[in-house]
Amino acid sequence: MAVLLATLEKRVNNILLASPRTNPWSASVIGSNNQPATQRYPTDEEIEQACLEGDARTCVAIIETEGHPQAPTFYTTSTVASGAAIPGHLGVTALVTVDGSPARYAASMDQMLEVIQNPTMYPVASKWAYIFGNILLHNGTTGVVTYPTFTMTAACQAPDGYESVDVCNAIALLAKDGAASDYYSYYANLAARQEAAIRGLELTIPDIEAIAA
Amino acid sequence: MSALTHEHLAIQVRQKLRLPPTATLDLQPLVPVALNQLAVQVAGDYKKRHWLLTDPSAITATLTSGVADLSALIASDNILIEMIRYGMVYYNAITGQPLIWQNQVGIGRMAGPYDQLFNHVWAQGTTLQVRGPNATALSGTLYLAIPFVASLDDLPEPLTDDLVNTLARLVVMPAANENAA
């Protein structure tokens, strides 16, 4: 389940003392309760947008961390012809299937092209693929790429275990000229540390085994 | 017969040599080369050569006035003309004595002992030439049990290890292997 935007807004409003005194645990700011529009945060929309942007930063950190256990939440698939570009996305592609089975990756683009152009020399070389930049090469009929992507919506998308990251991100994004910089720096620091923790989950690829002489 | 595919063979050699997974691709183009070298090695090995002889009931050549053209068989059945001497060539019936091999054209055409008993055969280019008793030019059918290059489909199972080793040798010492062949 994803972080709830309403809860996130309440947390942010509460921390920034931007909610009405009569209802401190509120998703609305003072300015939207017929209070003078001279407050630092006069509209709900500003808070809401910061919450969504903060949530997006959390999601992007998860997506860009290869092997992150929550990354599959953001996976989508596209059918891609050999030689065509994988649609724009964030992070790294997770899987390529060719004709319904996971593909094996060739060592280089040259090797993949050689296989494609000389099928008689590779009579049992089915379901091989190679990604050059964002171009997919494969020697099957249908290639399907699974990759992470992210589109901001009107709701938060980070898994709810990351609510505190969203809170810190949102507050860090709400810093304004004249505000107490150390206050926002504290949350910016906290957000950075939590983002580092997310990105620290990156799957470490083991060294390639040395070829026996 | 072996159930090996190009990929099975490539995987076996890759594992044997501890090569990376993409070597499964690299090795496949070398399989025909390995099969060719294996055929030459087997034909030269008296203990193994009978594994790779053509079926004389199926592989035949028409003999016309003492000459049989093998070019069609070379193309379609991968026979090794340089190794024919290690096989058997029968004239008109598989059950009889195989023809006596003569090492060169000159000796083949020369009258010799047992001319009345045995027909003689020798090669000239891609033809087989046969001499009957008293230099009679024979016509008929030659039945050939001669060395050939097997495909993976018709490679006898006992030779699969040899093929794996041949392919592995091609990878680790290609130059030495070329000389051996």
Side-chain angles (χ1 to χ4, degrees), chain A residues 27-110:
Chain A
S28 299
V29 297
I30 297 169
S32 62
N33 285 307
N34 297 319
Q35 298 294 318
T38 54
Q39 301 295 325
R40 184 170 291 142
Y41 304 105
T43 64
D44 289 333
E45 287 77 7
E46 184 182 7
I47 302 284
E48 183 177 307
Q49 193 58 32
C51 286
L52 290 172
E53 287 173 10
D55 178 73
R57 285 180 58 168
T58 306
C59 294
V60 169
I62 291 171
I63 288 168
E64 290 181 344
T65 303
E66 190 173 1
H68 194 286
Q70 291 289 359
T73 311
F74 303 97
Y75 282 172
T76 187
T77 58
S78 284
T79 300
V80 181
S82 182
I86 300 167
H89 59 280
L90 296 171
V92 296
T93 52
L95 181 70
V96 175
T97 63
V98 175
D99 297 341
S101 299
R104 286 173 289 179
Y105 287 91
S108 66
M109 186 174 77
D110 285 346

Side-chain angles (χ1 to χ4, degrees), chain B residues 2-156:
Chain B
S2 96
L4 282 178
T5 66
H6 283 64
E7 187 165 23
H8 294 157
L9 186 61
I11 290 171
Q12 285 188 5
V13 173
R14 176 175 79 75
Q15 297 287 2
K16 183 183 177 80
L17 299 178
R18 302 185 68 187
L19 298 173
T22 51
T24 305
L25 285 178
D26 295 328
L27 291 164
Q28 289 198 34
L30 295 175
V31 171
V33 182
L35 282 166
N36 204 48
Q37 293 198 358
L38 177 67
V40 173
Q41 291 163 14
V42 167
D45 184 338
Y46 71 93
K47 296 193 300 289
K48 291 182 178 174
R49 70 173 54 124
H50 287 276
W51 284 117
L52 287 183
L53 292 180
T54 54
D55 176 4
S57 64
I59 305 300
T60 62
T62 302
L63 184 66
T64 305
S65 300
V67 178
D69 185 1
L70 299 181
S71 49
L73 290 178
I74 293 169
S76 62
D77 295 282
N78 301 321
I79 61 170
L80 286 169
I81 60 168
E82 66 269 42
M83 295 293 182
I84 287 179
R85 70 185 61 195
Y86 299 118
M88 279 73 70
V89 180
Y90 299 94
Y91 171 61
N92 274 351
I94 303 172
T95 52
Q97 282 284 341
L99 304 184
I100 301 296
W101 182 262
Q102 303 295 324
N103 281 330
Q104 54 150 290
V105 177
I107 295 174
R109 289 175 178 166
M110 187 186 297
Y114 307 115
D115 272 2
Q116 300 301 317
L117 293 176
F118 302 111
N119 300 323
H120 296 79
V121 62
W122 61 93
Q124 178 171 289
T126 55
T127 63
L128 282 183
Q129 302 196 355
V130 176
R131 175 166 64 85
N134 301 318
T136 310
L138 300 176
S139 293
T141 302
L142 295 181
Y143 297 88
L144 306 172
I146 56 177
F148 73 106
V149 181
S151 68
L152 278 183
D153 290 338
D154 52 22
L155 184 75

Side-chain angles (χ1 to χ4, degrees), chain A residues 42-191:
Chain A
T43 64
D44 289 333
E45 287 77 7
E46 184 182 7
I47 302 284
E48 183 177 307
Q49 193 58 32
C51 286
L52 290 172
E53 287 173 10
D55 178 73
R57 285 180 58 168
T58 306
C59 294
V60 169
I62 291 171
I63 288 168
E64 290 181 344
T65 303
E66 190 173 1
H68 194 286
Q70 291 289 359
T73 311
F74 303 97
Y75 282 172
T76 187
T77 58
S78 284
T79 300
V80 181
S82 182
I86 300 167
H89 59 280
L90 296 171
V92 296
T93 52
L95 181 70
V96 175
T97 63
V98 175
D99 297 341
S101 299
R104 286 173 289 179
Y105 287 91
S108 66
M109 186 174 77
D110 285 346
Q111 187 184 43
M112 192 67 245
L113 289 173
E114 199 171 277
V115 171
I116 292 170
Q117 292 169 6
N118 303 281
T120 55
M121 296 294 285
Y122 300 88
V124 197
S126 61
K127 300 174 182 175
W128 284 81
Y130 186 76
I131 295 174
F132 178 72
N134 279 308
I135 305 297
L136 175 69
L137 296 167
H138 66 80
N139 65 339
T141 305
T142 305
V144 176
V145 184
T146 301
Y147 56 92
T149 188
F150 181 78
T151 305
M152 274 184 74
T153 65
C156 294
Q157 297 175 58
D160 55 6
Y162 293 87
E163 183 176 297
S164 68
V165 192
D166 279 7
V167 170
C168 295
N169 275 331
I171 294 173
L173 287 167
L174 282 165
K176 288 190 174 181
D177 186 25
S181 61
D182 55 342
Y183 191 80
Y184 293 98
S185 294
Y186 169 76
Y187 283 98
N189 263 323
L190 208 52

